[in-house]
Amino acid sequence: MAERGQLPHPAKRLCCRPGYGSGCRPGQRAGGSGPGGGTLCAGPSSAAAAAAALGLLPLGKTQSPESLLDIAARKVAEKWPFQRVEERFERIPEPVQRRIVYWSFPRSEREICMYSSFNTGAEDPAAGPGGAAAPGGAMDAAAADENRLPFRRGIALLDGGCVDNVLQVGFHLSGTVTEPAMQSEPETVCNVAISFDRCKITSVTCSCGNKDIFYCAHVVALSLYRIRKPDQVKLHLPISETLFQMNRDQLQKFVQYLITVHHTEVLPTAQKLADEILSQNSEINQVHGAPDPTAGASIDDENCWHLDEEQVQEQVKLFLSQGGYHGSGKQLNLLFAKVREMLKMRDSNGARMLTLITEQFMADPRLSLWRQQGTTMTDKYRQLWDELGALWMCIVLNPHCKLEQKSSWLKQLKKWNSVDVCPWEDGNHGNELPNLTNALPQGANANQDSSNRPHRTVFTRAIEACDLHWQDSHLQHIISSDLYTNYCYHDDTENLLFDSQGWPLWHEHVPTACARVDALRSHGYPREALRLAIAIVNTLRRQQQKQLEMFRTQKKELLHRGVTSITNLEGWVGHPLDPIGTLFGSLMEACRVDDDSFHGFSDFTENLGQCKSLEYQHLPAHKFLEEGESYLTLAVEVALIGLGQQRIMPDGLYAQEKVCRNEEQLISKLQEIELDDTLVKIFRKQAVFLLEGGPYSGLGEVIHRESVPMHTFAKYLFTSLLPHDAELAYKTALRAMRLLVLESTAPSGDLSRPHHIASVVPNRYPRWFTLSHIESQQCELASTMLTAAKGDVRRLETVLESIQKNIHSSSHIFKLAQDAFKIATLMDSLPDITLLKVSLELGLQVMRMTLSTLNWRRREMVRWLVTCATEVGVYALDSIMQNWFTLFTPTEATSIVATTVMSNSTIVRLHLDCHQQEKLASSARTLALQCAMKDPQNCALSALTLCEKDHIAFETAYQIVLDAATAGMSYSQLFTIARYMEHRGYPMRAYKLATLAMTHLNLSYNQDTHPAINDVLWACALSHSLGKNELAAIIPLVVKSVKCATVLSDILRRCTLTTPGMVGLHGRRNSGKLMSLDKAPLRQLLDATIGAYINTTHSRLTHISPRHYSEFIEFLSKARETFLMAHDGHIQFTQFIDNLKQIYKGKKKLMMLVRERFG
């Protein structure tokens, strides 16, 4: 018997003897066995039970018909708590009790698998994760990971005979599971206990101490033992029933034996309970009956599978704290997948688990930190929030959830939504669009609380979805029947319920309608989801046709204006609810599954209360497809419709990245489908629709300036259509090449039509955060067309024209030029001259675009262009040299272009004859002289080099250098050219240029490491070698330009070592004496050097520090050497030192060092 009362944790419902207490039910249980009596679980055979558990055989479908008792007991055990059974019937025969207890244990391994592993098989728990095999090494890795899952390990323990001592007492199962000894660990025995109710495990305990979200392998092994081998499990009625059958002596003996066996564990508790029972006023005596953990559930107990809430919270908290490292993002995605799996099994723990996850996400300390710092969350973390919002949308759209449940969720969602750090739907950018989710036929009572918020959070759509319902009769007919038609068609209203063929349509905000499909799929109603998906796709196809007809009536006007404000502020691809992905997934799922598995768990109409005859429920859903169509063609077509939708580029980096990412994901799924003739027809049909759809299509003739570009989609269309309809493929790709947001002449919108949606922000180009990615996709599309057009002159010209018109990035045009060059010069074939010319033309455009702008790849681009022109031929090289001023800077033209053209490798590569060589050389010399005139500083040397073999040209170049030397050229440039002249055998010209360079030079007293010092020494050496007159002429220039004492002393020393002009112009040795230091020009140089030492000394002493004293003394030593070169140098130096001592007598330590060294 059962009575309800206040229970201490973890007690079960209270059970008492008949006749004791007012709350007890009168009457006596029938039958019974002696104390400790029990029977084996009489049920289906072991093999049949295992087959039934795996879904291979329905339970009870054995060789002989099932008894009425088993049929009834199974249904009761599934639906009724045992307390209700006790209260409903005065007398329950023991065989009936036993069958109810027997059938109350879970019968399917699917739920056990779900609660003991992250990934389960689709239908068969023995199958691989997800029911699909992974390719190659990934499959091996997946298999290795799978074997470590508790479910797989539990099966291994069961198969290894590790489960023993299995005992079922009422609604409680216990047993031991032995873990075999491992290399580093001894054999361990785990004690496992499981409570269950109405075919669900309600609590588990295991001595292994496992801390995880899911059941341990030992719980799995014991559960599977009970499911697979029910005939080997000894079954007893609840312990309270056994105790009812004992007299007082038996009860006392029972208790005393129990205490004796477990006296160390239970003796304190036993004494405490005895004291309380003997006390008349104790709390325990105020309640009738006593707890029985084996007696099953009470009426008010929640019937749900055991879920360790604390572990869910701890695990999510741990994963979030790892910040995306150590695979935490993957683990969180697996948790979300587990929620979806629970929803599909219609398990109430799905919503419960998501609530726990969401609470931890909301408590993440990084949210407030990011908000304070104004930084964005990582992309992977942002995607986790998206999935969180989508899951809540699915949960609140559960077609069979109770109103109080939905109210509870709404309250919780609003609470999270109101928190300041709650992430916004589109990242860190607030979206102030109108509340479109409730713009529905049934959305009159829209939720105003959320729509008044300036920003939509990740929970806003779920909050809005709480206002949606499933009571619309048209909607219920759509999802419940395959034969719901109406042939009374009147095409005079916008939102018809049926199309011209009598097929049902569903007019609703598309993302919301698709959210319904997702909710139906998520909650285990795939057939109903498919029916609604087909109705939505048929509605979209009809809408597409209507838009095409509308555009044809406005075409002339729109084309005349060349602009439109018609667009969609809410694109379907990249939308938070992923409507196109949902439709595509639902239809593709229908292609893969068989009827039995696709049917789901139970009939939807049974739960919804629809009065539909059974004949409608089993007919194929393809009733509403055109002839020759299938779910696959419908899936492909809706994907093409969504990808081709003209839609506005959303605000915010994350929202824009999501548009690109979702588009690529959808195309990736499409690429997995092998195109046959039927699918090619769909491609052709949609390509024509999109090209002719005007402003309603992203590929229409007139689109909004800020529409999402179609490059990625068009590339997929192009490659798919090319083998079947090349003309249509090129037409589609060429139309998609445009990028209007970069067109400076494109207006931002036409506001003359109030019913059209205009741009929210008129000029938003700076906020196209993904522009570089978009331009790269545009480049990829162009490259794909160039590759395909190889050998077709007309196509190549058309593609080239499109590239030049639409691509605005020099780096991307350069990439295309390189791509075209590679394709044209493949090793296994002759060069394609037309494609080479396209490559050269693109290269020339790049040169013109980057001529006046800074580009770090410019030198690479110039070198590549010369290579390309070389492949095209001698006339191309001649052309770029003759037109160099529009393509290159003077430096590039001389140092790279002309030099490369005149190289031996180019002559050999082109097999040039003498006439062709001379023609190119003439063009190169002309270019060199023009460049030298325009930029003598940087081009003079190159011009001289290029003109070496032509006397007139060389003299002209030299004169240009002389003319520029007095004005614009620097001393370093002149010294470089002077050295070149000496090297080429023109020493007098070198001397002339060196003297000009000296006039531009100025070396101060402290520039003893100046880079020009070597040039000065070289110039003086050159003058010295030419003779006394040349040296005499340059020394005044040196004295005027150089103030550095050490440099002057070095020059002076070199001039005194040899006789001037010792090696003449023609190698003749000159005879003569060494020059005197007392006469010009060396006297002038000596005086300047001594003066420089004196000035430098005073300058250094002005700011000298003690750590530089020793260095200064060495400097004075060098100065003394120079002083002593004069005939009165000793006297001058002594006077100089005396002056220092007098002037700087305050620097006592330094002067002491001076006296020690110099007296």
Side-chain angles (χ1 to χ4, degrees), residues 336-484:
F336 287 141
K338 182 60 64 180
V339 172
R340 285 196 178 272
E341 188 182 352
M342 289 176 173
L343 295 181
K344 196 167 186 178
M345 300 283 280
R346 302 178 196 167
D347 188 332
S348 61
N349 278 339
R352 191 168 149 216
M353 188 168 173
L354 187 62
T355 302
L356 298 171
I357 294 172
T358 308
E359 285 172 350
Q360 292 305 310
F361 265 71
M362 290 299 297
D364 190 344
R366 291 179 297 172
L367 290 177
S368 56
L369 185 65
W370 286 330
R371 183 63 62 89
Q372 289 166 8
Q373 296 175 343
T375 54
T376 58
M377 61 178 70
T378 63
D379 194 52
K380 287 185 178 178
Y381 188 56
R382 180 66 250 188
Q383 290 177 44
L384 292 172
W385 276 102
D386 281 353
E387 178 65 6
L388 200 66
L391 280 169
W392 275 113
M393 188 82 173
C394 281
I395 283 174
V396 301
L397 277 177
N398 181 351
H400 298 121
C401 72
K402 299 174 183 175
L403 283 176
E404 57 269 22
Q405 206 172 30
K406 187 181 280 191
S407 298
S408 170
W409 291 335
L410 179 59
K411 183 179 178 182
Q412 185 64 67
L413 288 167
K414 283 185 175 181
K415 178 183 173 183
W416 291 326
N417 194 63
S418 63
V419 178
D420 288 340
V421 295
C422 184
W424 296 341
E425 183 178 74
D426 55 354
N428 277 18
H429 238 77
N431 186 351
E432 299 182 9
L433 300 181
N435 179 352
L436 297 179
T437 304
N438 285 309
L440 323 166
Q442 53 172 282
N445 301 320
N447 184 349
Q448 294 302 314
D449 292 345
S450 60
S451 63
N452 290 333
R453 287 177 57 83
H455 305 297
R456 297 173 66 85
T457 75
V458 291
F459 300 117
T460 302
R461 292 184 187 274
I463 291 171
E464 293 169 357
C466 288
D467 291 324
L468 300 175
H469 58 76
W470 296 84
Q471 311 313 317
D472 185 279
S473 60
H474 182 58
L475 174 62
Q476 291 190 21
H477 280 88
I478 289 173
I479 60 182
S480 303
S481 170
D482 289 321
L483 287 180
Y484 177 46

Side-chain angles (χ1 to χ4, degrees), residues 633-684:
T633 61
L634 212 59
V636 170
E637 185 163 16
V638 77
L640 298 181
I641 291 172
L643 289 165
Q645 178 204 28
Q646 201 228 143
R647 54 199 182 274
I648 208 77
M649 178 65 78
D651 282 321
L653 171 62
Y654 178 73
Q656 292 176 16
E657 286 180 339
K658 190 171 183 181
V659 167
C660 299
R661 183 170 57 249
N662 282 25
E663 180 182 40
E664 289 165 3
Q665 288 170 347
L666 189 53
I667 289 173
S668 175
K669 291 175 183 175
L670 284 169
Q671 287 170 334
E672 295 172 4
I673 302 169
E674 188 176 345
L675 297 188
D676 55 18
D677 292 343
T678 306
L679 290 176
V680 169
K681 288 179 184 176
I682 297 293
F683 272 77
R684 279 192 172 122

